[in-house]
Structure formats: structure tokens, C-alpha cells
């Protein structure tokens, strides 16, 4: 027992030293992660895809802790897309149960680490049990002032823009807004991510080179970091590697290189 505790402690110290090697002035404020590759990870081991989803939830625990320790302000993680309903019913049910169990088991730890939970997506379409956990997680962590963990569940970038456009159109109809008042800032304020900065860094594990409908509007100038490693094998060390790479990049936002 003490051995386990001891090795964990040593490990934590090593990680802390690693985090200290980052340029503290250029920590990305907002990191977004497409938690992909769970199924492939499991299948490689001759296990059912669901085994990979369980392993993926464990990885999320570690990465939330790491992001919080590193000093990231917002971590948005893609857990279930508006298109993932196309999967076999059993897999969808398992994912819903896993999300609900994850929220249930993490609230204490979130509170201990001062993490505030937020959710984006078409939440009203989720099973009632998941919606209840979402409300509870939001309420019980509302007073925390550290990392914002923003979970994207039944999220689609297109659905998000459609939703924003519908609300804006309604306001125009009611005479609260005129069409010429619609600008980037107004649209930002009607997205699920209202009030959050755009992601600085987007990480996609598992080797696929696409956004799969994640944060389409918000990622206009986000730096991308892709790896072949599947999400269950993603580690705090890899997160540091991604951030180090980010810190070497020059972001121009359409302008010119600084002299
Ligand atoms: C990501 O892993 C989890 C969800 C999409 C819910 P996948 O289930 O997509 O795993 P792969 O991409 O098939 O390996
Ligand atoms: C994106 O992964 C969604 C999540 C990780 C939640 P998918 O596995 O659904 O994406 P595609 O189908 O490979 O594009
Ligand atoms: Mg996938």
C-alpha cells in the first residue's frame, strides 16, 4: 500500500517538475480536446469498444488534474457528438451511463481541485438521468474559481450555430435587434461557449485529421496538435508536449510576423 502511495507521490513530483519547464507566460488559456480513439484502443487489445470508453474516462480524470495543475483556464473536451447517436444502441447507452457515472464520481474531486463544470451541446435531448447529473455538477461546482471543465455532450458545431441563429432571428422578429447589429461579437454571445475565450490549442489524438464538427466557429485561429496515440493512452506528459509545441508557434491571426 505504502509503495503505491510512495510511487504516486514521486510521480506527482516528477510531473510538477515537468510542468515547471513550460513557459509560464504562454500557457494556453483554453485547450480543446477531441477524445478520440477509444474503440480502436480496445480493439487492438482484443476487447470490446466499450472497454476503451472506460479507459478513456480514466484518461480524462488524469488530464483534468494535469490541466488544472498547469494553470490552464478552460479545458473543453468532446465526449459525445450530435452524430454519435448513429452508433449501435448498446454503445450509445453505455456512453450515456459512463458520462453519468463520471459526473457522479468526480464532483468531490472537482471541488477539491477548485474545478468548475460547464456543459455545451443539445443537453435537453440527453436522457433525464444525465441531465440531472449535469445540473447537479454545475450547481455543486459553481462557486469554484479554478479550471473550467467544459464538457461537450451531444455537441455539434453546426447545431450550435443553428441554435444561435434561431435565437438571434427571434430577437430580430421581436424588434429587439436590427440585422446590422449582428456581428462576430453578437454571434459569440449566442453560442454555447458564450463568455469563454476561443480555444488556443486543439488536440486530436488517434490519427484522424479532421474536426468532426467540434467548435467550428471558435477554432477559426486555434493551433492544432495531432497525434496517432489513442485517447486512452494520452498522458499528462503528452499534454506538456502539445503545450511546448504550441509555445513555439507564431500566431499571426492573418497579420504579419512580428519583427
Ligand atoms: C471516442 O472514441 C469516443 C466517442 C466518440 C464517444 P471512439 O469511440 O470514436 O473510438 P474510435 O475512433 O472508433 O477508435
Ligand atoms: C469525434 O469523434 C467525437 C468525439 C470524440 C466525441 P468521432 O469518432 O465521432 O469522429 P469521426 O466519426 O471519426 O469523424
Ligand atoms: Mg472516433
Amino acid at each position: 500500500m505504502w509503495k503505491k502511495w510512495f510511487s504516486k507521490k514521486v510521480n506527482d513530483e516528477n510531473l510538477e517538475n515537468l510542468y515547471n519547464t513550460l513557459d509560464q507566460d504562454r500557457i494556453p488559456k483554453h485547450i480543446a480536446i477531441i477524445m478520440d480513439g477509444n474503440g480502436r484502443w480496445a480493439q487492438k487489445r482484443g476487447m470490446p469498444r466499450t472497454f476503451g470508453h472506460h479507459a478513456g474516462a480514466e484518461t480524462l480524470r488524469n488530464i483534468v488534474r494535469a490541466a488544472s495543475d498547469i494553470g490552464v483556464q478552460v479545458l473543453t473536451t468532446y465526449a459525445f457528438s450530435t452524430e454519435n447517436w448513429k452508433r449501435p444502441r448498446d454503445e450509445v447507452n453505455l456512453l450515456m451511463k459512463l458520462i453519468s457515472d463520471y459526473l457522479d464520481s468526480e464532483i468531490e474531486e472537482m471541488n477539491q481541485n477548485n474545478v468548475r463544470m460547464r456543459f455545451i451541446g443539445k443537453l435537453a435531448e440527453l436522457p433525464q438521468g444525465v441531465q440531472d447529473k449535469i445540473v447537479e455538477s454545475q450547481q455543486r461546482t459553481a462557486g469554484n474559481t479554478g479550471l473550467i471543465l467544459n464538457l461537450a455532450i451531444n455537441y455539434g458545431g453546426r447545431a450550435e450555430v443553428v441554435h444561435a441563429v434561431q435565437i438571434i432571428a427571434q430577437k430580430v422578429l421581436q424588434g429587439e435587434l436590427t440585422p446590422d447589429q449582428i456581428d462576430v461579437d453578437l454571434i459569440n454571445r449566442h453560442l454555447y461557449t458564450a463568455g469563454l475565450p476561443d480555444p488556443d490549442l486543439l488536440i486530436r489524438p488517434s490519427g484522424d485529421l479532421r474536426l468532426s464538427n467540434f467548435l467550428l466557429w471558435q477554432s477559426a485561429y486555434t493551433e492544432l496538435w495531432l497525434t496517432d496515440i489513442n485517447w486512452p493512452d494520452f498522458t499528462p506528459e503528452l499534454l506538456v508536449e502539445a503545450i511546448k509545441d504550441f509555445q513555439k508557434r507564431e500566431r499571426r491571426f492573418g497579420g504579419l510576423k512580428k519583427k
Side-chain angles (χ1 to χ4, degrees), residues 55-119:
E58 276 304 313
T59 302
L60 178 59
R61 275 188 190 106
N62 291 335
I63 297 305
V64 170
R65 164 68 77 92
S68 166
D69 290 349
I70 288 168
V72 172
Q73 293 176 17
V74 186
L75 178 68
T76 299
T77 54
Y78 204 5
F80 192 90
S81 76
T82 44
E83 286 73 39
N84 286 148
W85 299 104
K86 293 177 194 164
R87 296 188 178 198
R89 192 180 241 289
D90 282 356
E91 182 167 342
V92 169
N93 289 345
L94 181 280
L95 283 166
M96 290 301 143
K97 180 162 181 345
L98 204 60
I99 290 168
S100 169
D101 289 350
Y102 177 84
L103 296 178
D104 218 17
S105 65
E106 289 312 287
I107 292 180
E108 284 312 315
E109 165 110 3
M110 299 290 170
N111 277 333
Q112 272 166 28
N113 290 309
N114 199 20
V115 175
R116 178 146 60 101
M117 299 199 67
R118 218 181 127 143
F119 297 83

Side-chain angles (χ1 to χ4, degrees), residues 45-245:
R45 287 160 178 77
M47 301 296 281
R49 296 175 51 82
T50 50
F51 183 67
H53 295 316
H54 282 283
E58 276 304 313
T59 302
L60 178 59
R61 275 188 190 106
N62 291 335
I63 297 305
V64 170
R65 164 68 77 92
S68 166
D69 290 349
I70 288 168
V72 172
Q73 293 176 17
V74 186
L75 178 68
T76 299
T77 54
Y78 204 5
F80 192 90
S81 76
T82 44
E83 286 73 39
N84 286 148
W85 299 104
K86 293 177 194 164
R87 296 188 178 198
R89 192 180 241 289
D90 282 356
E91 182 167 342
V92 169
N93 289 345
L94 181 280
L95 283 166
M96 290 301 143
K97 180 162 181 345
L98 204 60
I99 290 168
S100 169
D101 289 350
Y102 177 84
L103 296 178
D104 218 17
S105 65
E106 289 312 287
I107 292 180
E108 284 312 315
E109 165 110 3
M110 299 290 170
N111 277 333
Q112 272 166 28
N113 290 309
N114 199 20
V115 175
R116 178 146 60 101
M117 299 199 67
R118 218 181 127 143
F119 297 83
I120 55 172
K122 295 173 95 172
L123 305 177
E125 288 176 4
L126 291 167
Q128 193 55 49
V130 178
Q131 288 190 49
D132 292 346
K133 293 281 170 246
I134 286 176
V135 171
E136 189 187 342
S137 315
Q138 253 164 351
Q139 284 175 349
R140 289 186 51 197
T141 63
N144 293 339
T145 53
L147 174 76
I148 295 175
L149 173 60
N150 189 30
L151 281 177
I153 309 176
N154 195 20
Y155 173 88
R158 288 181 169 178
E160 181 180 35
V161 172
V162 167
H163 174 77
V165 170
Q166 285 174 344
I167 301 174
I168 293 168
Q170 196 63 39
K171 289 186 179 174
V172 172
L173 259 183
Q174 286 165 347
E176 283 175 45
L177 271 180
T178 57
D180 60 301
Q181 285 176 307
I182 302 172
D183 58 11
V184 168
D185 184 50
L186 185 106
I187 292 176
N188 277 333
R189 283 189 275 120
H190 287 84
L191 296 173
Y192 302 137
T193 50
L196 298 177
D198 285 340
D200 300 295
L201 173 64
L202 187 149
I203 297 173
R204 181 164 191 156
S206 90
D208 286 324
L209 309 178
R210 54 177 171 264
L211 290 175
S212 301
N213 206 6
F214 192 40
L215 301 174
L216 298 181
W217 170 277
Q218 298 88 336
S219 60
Y221 278 101
T222 300
E223 296 294 327
L224 309 179
W225 196 81
L226 307 156
T227 170
D228 287 340
I229 307 270
N230 290 315
W231 174 246
D233 283 334
F234 199 84
T235 56
E237 286 82 356
L238 278 171
L239 181 65
V240 169
E241 199 180 314
I243 296 175
K244 284 203 166 160
D245 195 14

